[in-house]
Amino acid sequence: MSSFRRVTDSFWVSPQISVADVAEAKAQGFQVIINNRPDGEAPDQPAGAEIAAAARAAGMEYLAAPVSGRPSPQAVESVAGATADPSKKVLAFCRSGTRSIFTWAIGQAGQRETDELVRLGDAAGYDLRAVVG
């Protein structure tokens, strides 16, 4: 089972999830899953299409916004759009969760103070200073 880490009440991140984790995410009230990991990074990684199918079968929204290296403007915009409604509980994942929280934090710059973003990242176990500082 993956470790879902709270960033805000409506945005959480996780290392790589499995198809089985989708059911757990649904049980925990998540409505949207964001995949920030490109397919094929590792041989044991589930295909994005498998996660997408499981999410949709569970009645959840699914968004693929893959990130290699620094998040692209398109990935930032996609994640910002998917997380704009605070009434929707969103789970974003990648290999470790780092790209997911970085992508979200870049989109939050200008909306939240830098200190708040750093504090939220620290509480979730991620250092955002290099991204938003």
Side-chain angles (χ1 to χ4, degrees):
M1 269 305 170
S2 282
S3 168
F4 303 159
R5 300 177 186 182
R6 180 190 175 281
V7 179
T8 70
D9 288 341
S10 61
F11 182 70
W12 297 56
V13 297
S14 176
Q16 176 68 56
I17 65 171
S18 68
V19 170
D21 291 325
V22 173
E24 179 60 27
K26 177 70 173 180
Q28 290 187 29
F30 290 98
Q31 297 156 300
V32 181
I33 292 180
I34 300 173
N35 180 354
N36 293 124
R37 191 170 189 194
D39 274 339
E41 269 192 335
D44 60 343
Q45 168 187 351
E50 293 174 13
I51 304 293
R56 291 183 180 124
M60 302 169 74
E61 296 174 39
Y62 174 87
L63 171 68
V67 174
S68 293
R70 186 160 177 88
S72 69
Q74 296 82 6
V76 171
E77 185 177 313
S78 293
V79 169
T83 59
D85 182 350
S87 71
K88 287 188 176 181
K89 191 173 176 184
V90 178
L91 175 65
F93 75 91
C94 59
R95 186 189 62 77
S96 67
T98 302
R99 285 176 281 184
S100 294
I101 197 169
F102 280 13
T103 304
W104 171 82
I106 291 167
Q108 292 292 304
Q111 297 177 33
R112 295 179 188 261
E113 295 293 324
T114 299
D115 289 346
E116 179 187 10
L117 289 169
V118 168
R119 192 173 56 255
L120 291 169
D122 285 347
Y126 299 95
D127 185 356
L128 296 177
R129 286 165 189 81
V131 177
V132 299

